[in-house]
Amino acid sequence: MANSVWVFAEVKDGKIKKVTFEMLSEGKKMAEKLGGDLSAVLLGQNVGSLAEQLGHYGADKVYLAEHEALKDYTTDAYSKVIAELIKANEPSIVLYGATVLGKDLSPRVAARVEAGLATDCTGIGLDNSGKLTATRPMFAGKAYADISFSDSKPNMASIRPNALPVSPPDESKKAEVIKVDVNINPDDIRTTIQEFIKTAGERPDLTEAEIIVSGGRGMKGPENFKMLEELADVLGATVGASRAAVDAGWRNVSDQVGQTGKVVSPNLYIACGISGAIQHLAGMSTSKYIVAINKDSEAPIFQKADYGIVDDLFKVLPVLTEELKKLKAEG
Amino acid sequence: MNVVVCVKQVPDTESAIKVKPDGSDIIKDDLKYVMNPYDEYGIEEALRIKEKFGGVVTILCMGPGRAVETIRTGLAMGADQAVQLDDPAFEGGDAFATAKALAEALKGIEYGLIFCGKQAIDDDLSQVGASLAELLKLPQVSLIQKLEIADDKKSATVHRQVEGGIEILKVSLPAVLTTQKGLNEPRYASLPGIMKAKKKPLDVKNLAALGLSSDSVGCAGSKSLITKYTPPPPRAAGKIIEGEGPQETVPKLVKLLREEAKMI
Ligand SMILES: Cc1cc2nc3c(=O)[nH]c(=O)nc-3n(C[C@H](O)[C@H](O)[C@H](O)COP(=O)(O)OP(=O)(O)OC[C@H]3O[C@@H](n4cnc5c(N)ncnc54)[C@H](O)[C@@H]3O)c2cc1C
Ligand SMILES: Nc1ncnc2c1ncn2[C@@H]1O[C@H](COP(=O)(O)O)[C@@H](O)[C@H]1O
């Protein structure tokens, strides 16, 4: 339908990802301005019960595609279903989370339906004619760009997690569920998942974490990251690392924050024993609050930090963890 | 097995990026350029495939004259030949327009596998690999960290990094794979490699040679365009927390985080 705004609802471990609610909240405002409706697109197997929640966050409709071939994400199956839905219903705007999945799926769909796509946006809006506009960091946040789209529809954007505020859900709101016929042949899917090796605990991915505690070369060795894990446990945070720590083999590659690692935007980033090289700063300078703990008062990280402690991290961290534990206990 | 590696030339990661006062572009005068770091993994992996199975490694690079340096670096690492797409008409294109030109150039090249980087660290799009795969009707796997090609070369097993773990999957070949840190350690170009690179074939194609119309590439062929650049929002000057040791500084920090930042 013309003027409608679509949000791809991403499901992980049976739950809808928070970035979906962020997009619905913003999408609702856009749909209202456009005089169209807001739809969520929900794919998977046995995911129908999640449609209700999408309604609470503002979806007028939920396109529900359930099929055993959609149980796990594959580029081929998901892009086929979504591209066909887009062609049949012609939405104006389609939004995805800029997650690992969203970044794999959205460019594939965009190329198939010949749509413009802005990746990893930190802001979206409408221009005077009601067309999508987007703001996105480039050069790992060293510059920002405003994006406009061609007149052909739809226009698409993937949205960085934690970038847009979530409006509170309204439990009285119900979405109309539209069941989608799924036609997928085994030949359509050219990848087969063989195994999944879990490497992380229950912590959110760095790109979605609200709090990150990160360690660098100043941590001195892999065993000391335990101190950061403990701090992270108290804060409900995820642990990151500088490239120096990753290259030394102390941490997994997937933990690297920076221009050639992950670009993160948590609410709070605590850098421990990290000097603040330009490539590291590029990956975390959009964090809302930055705390630096470093014994060198000249370290460039202090120029970006909201709060800094110039001291030995091995003395500071245990005290910090204790203080926070006390605070938690007091409630 | 013949492998194509898509390579982009980007500003060095050390570069400070400055925006022109009118926001029309970034200031390019003092930039130093390097090979996109993620594309180095693609070249390295292609060379390892060549060492195991034989075949030709081709670098495909769309970029202006200066990109020759990056192409030569790849040839010096050991790639066999290169195709450069160089025409003012290609400039300013989005991922869709870029992929269209790359796909057209691939028509004349035989390949069993195509590598792209997970993202180019200038535009940070993370799109070209998937767009290219779609235009070529090939399967894609993004963010690969390990690759094993089956003996019959008709499929490959890859490890890809996803949230919370590693996904192992089998993909039919040819395919487009996007490379991520962890896949390998890219080799440096050796001195003999650098000497040899100068004599390796480099085919420079402009728009006419590619046979595309000017409205299908670059800005004209794009579905999304940059209208304005802005510098990142400034950060307020930070506070160094004063005090005698952690017993004094840490409680102050916690108080600030709680009362001022409202983070905990
Ligand atoms: C192409 C390229 C890409 C790169 N990409 C990235 C990237 O994505 N991410 C990234 O992080 N880096 C990246 N780098 C590397 C970057 O340039 C730095 O080398 C790296 O970030 C340094 O890591 P570090 O801060 O942990 O180590 P260092 O710079 O060595 O800093 C260690 C800090 O720890 C402090 N310290 C030591 N002991 C203590 C103690 N007991 N208590 C408190 N403080 C202590 C020191 O004062 C120092 O400031 C890249 C480099 C290149 C060339
Ligand atoms: N101009 C280009 N020439 C060749 N390859 C490119 C070009 N632009 C992007 N690529 C490839 O696509 C990858 C992802 O780029 P991007 O989608 O721009 O982030 C890069 O790592 C390259 O492998």
Side-chain angles (χ1 to χ4, degrees):
Chain A
M1 209 178 85
N3 288 339
S4 61
V5 177
W6 282 17
V7 168
F8 172 73
E10 185 170 338
V11 180
K12 174 101 199 278
D13 300 330
K15 283 201 219 95
I16 297 171
K17 283 201 163 180
K18 184 168 152 258
V19 66
T20 307
F21 304 135
E22 293 165 1
M23 293 189 286
L24 286 171
S25 302
E26 196 69 22
K28 186 79 197 164
K29 292 181 215 157
M30 297 209 291
E32 274 163 11
K33 277 195 206 144
L34 289 171
D37 54 20
L38 175 67
S39 300
V41 184
L42 178 60
L43 275 62
Q45 189 186 26
N46 302 326
V47 289
S49 60
L50 299 173
E52 199 181 329
Q53 210 185 357
L54 296 168
H56 297 164
Y57 281 94
D60 301 302
K61 290 182 193 161
V62 176
Y63 290 95
L64 174 64
E66 290 186 293
H67 193 281
E68 58 177 338
L70 300 174
K71 178 171 174 281
D72 293 311
Y73 171 76
T74 61
T75 314
D76 284 336
Y78 273 55
S79 57
K80 181 169 194 277
V81 171
I82 294 175
E84 283 173 6
L85 268 177
I86 289 173
K87 282 184 186 156
N89 297 281
E90 301 182 341
S92 294
I93 294 171
V94 184
L95 306 176
Y96 310 77
T99 58
V100 168
L101 190 162
K103 283 186 183 169
D104 186 79
L105 174 66
S106 57
R108 186 92 199 192
V109 174
R112 189 162 316 163
V113 303
E114 305 207 347
L117 169 68
T119 325
D120 211 12
C121 301
T122 50
I124 45 172
L126 297 169
D127 68 11
N128 295 334
S129 64
K131 240 169 36 186
L132 181 68
T133 58
T135 303
R136 57 183 304 272
M138 291 176 65
F139 302 95
K142 293 180 202 167
Y144 279 65
D146 291 343
I147 308 291
S148 71
F149 295 85
S150 70
D151 291 324
S152 65
K153 293 198 170 158
N155 297 319
M156 300 189 181
S158 68
I159 311 295
R160 181 180 286 192
N162 289 337
L164 304 177
V166 187
S167 311
D170 177 351
E171 310 230 324
S172 68
K173 288 264 167 69
K174 275 205 163 61
E176 176 196 350
V177 176
I178 301 166
K179 292 220 161 145
V180 179
D181 280 330
V182 179
N183 301 306
I184 298 175
N185 303 315
D187 292 352
D188 292 334
I189 306 177
R190 294 164 292 180
T191 55
T192 39
I193 300 171
Q194 314 215 295
E195 203 184 328
F196 182 76
I197 306 171
K198 219 172 149 137
T199 52
E202 296 307 310
R203 298 198 168 112
D205 192 73
L206 280 174
T207 53
E208 296 171 28
E210 292 184 24
I211 303 182
I212 293 172
V213 293
S214 224
R217 203 192 317 264
M219 295 302 297
K220 301 273 190 307
E223 65 287 354
N224 296 326
F225 273 80
K226 231 181 149 167
M227 298 171 67
L228 293 187
E229 303 276 352
E230 279 170 26
L231 177 60
D233 283 339
V234 186
L235 288 168
T238 301
V239 178
S242 73
R243 173 160 140 182
V246 170
D247 283 354
W250 303 346
R251 298 300 286 182
N252 206 298
V253 170
S254 58
D255 295 346
Q256 183 179 318
V257 172
Q259 188 155 19
T260 54
K262 286 181 175 159
V263 175
V264 301
S265 302
N267 290 327
L268 177 60
Y269 188 91
I270 305 182
C272 307
I274 293 176
S275 61
I278 189 165
Q279 296 96 347
H280 190 81
L281 298 177
M284 43 64 80
S285 58
T286 56
S287 308
K288 286 206 186 84
Y289 280 89
I290 296 170
V291 173
I293 304 170
N294 194 308
K295 65 178 182 188
D296 174 12
S297 65
E298 301 291 313
I301 188 78
F302 287 119
Q303 276 152 37
K304 290 277 170 186
D306 299 278
Y307 308 123
I309 295 185
V310 181
D311 207 342
D312 184 350
L313 67 89
F314 293 101
K315 293 195 188 124
V316 175
L317 281 176
V319 183
L320 181 57
T321 306
E322 269 322 300
E323 278 291 314
L324 290 168
K325 270 191 194 154
K326 264 198 281 177
L327 205 68
K328 276 270 146 77
E330 288 164 14
Chain B
M1 182 150 90
N2 297 340
V3 183
V4 174
V5 188
C6 296
V7 170
K8 188 178 187 186
Q9 190 185 47
V10 297
D12 188 348
T13 55
E14 285 287 344
S15 312
I17 302 292
K18 298 239 156 45
V19 174
K20 283 190 183 167
D22 67 357
S24 62
D25 202 351
I26 58 160
I27 299 171
K28 293 185 174 141
D29 304 347
D30 299 328
L31 293 180
K32 267 194 0 206
Y33 289 90
V34 295
M35 183 185 299
N36 183 38
Y38 293 109
D39 302 348
E40 292 179 11
Y41 302 118
I43 293 192
E44 177 61 38
E45 201 63 20
L47 295 175
R48 292 183 189 189
I49 291 168
K50 178 185 160 154
E51 280 152 16
K52 188 160 170 199
F53 294 102
V56 177
V57 175
T58 306
I59 290 174
L60 175 57
C61 174
M62 187 174 97
R66 59 172 156 74
V68 169
E69 275 176 54
T70 289
I71 293 172
R72 292 274 178 228
T73 304
L75 293 173
M77 282 170 77
D80 299 293
Q81 56 182 33
V83 178
Q84 181 183 8
L85 308 182
D86 179 8
D87 196 301
F90 295 138
E91 279 170 30
D94 66 358
F96 185 72
T98 301
K100 233 188 304 176
L102 297 178
E104 194 62 30
L106 282 163
K107 282 187 181 161
I109 306 173
E110 212 186 286
Y111 55 83
L113 197 57
I114 297 171
F115 287 116
C116 284
K118 113 174 175 173
Q119 79 193 68
I121 61 156
D122 51 356
D123 59 30
D124 284 330
L125 279 176
S126 305
Q127 286 186 27
V128 170
S131 308
L132 183 62
E134 173 62 25
L135 294 176
L136 298 170
K137 304 278 171 259
L138 295 179
Q140 79 193 47
V141 182
S142 50
L143 305 175
I144 71 157
Q145 291 189 310
K146 191 173 170 186
L147 172 67
E148 269 167 46
I149 294 169
D151 290 335
D152 67 3
K153 295 182 228 158
K154 290 200 173 112
S155 69
T157 304
V158 295
H159 291 217
R160 66 184 292 256
Q161 189 188 45
V162 296
E163 284 141 8
I166 307 282
E167 190 176 77
I168 303 177
L169 41 80
K170 199 170 151 188
V171 57
S172 64
L173 298 182
V176 177
L177 307 179
T178 78
T179 52
Q180 155 76 326
K181 179 172 176 164
L183 179 62
N184 54 44
E185 275 307 321
R187 69 193 67 184
Y188 291 102
S190 64
L191 200 55
I194 294 167
M195 299 310 291
K196 271 195 230 151
K198 293 184 182 138
K199 295 191 206 89
K200 287 181 176 170
L202 167 61
D203 183 7
V204 184
K205 289 188 164 161
N206 61 13
L207 185 68
L210 210 54
L212 285 173
S213 66
S214 61
D215 59 1
S216 65
V217 295
C219 284
S222 293
K223 303 281 178 186
S224 67
L225 285 176
I226 297 171
T227 48
K228 194 178 162 205
Y229 290 88
T230 45
R235 290 195 78 91
K239 285 185 202 165
I240 296 288
I241 299 169
E242 307 287 343
E244 264 315 300
Q247 301 304 341
E248 278 187 24
T249 51
V250 168
K252 285 188 194 167
L253 171 66
V254 171
K255 193 161 183 263
L256 283 166
L257 285 175
R258 197 178 161 109
E259 289 169 13
E260 192 177 83
K262 301 200 168 37
M263 285 293 137
I264 50 175

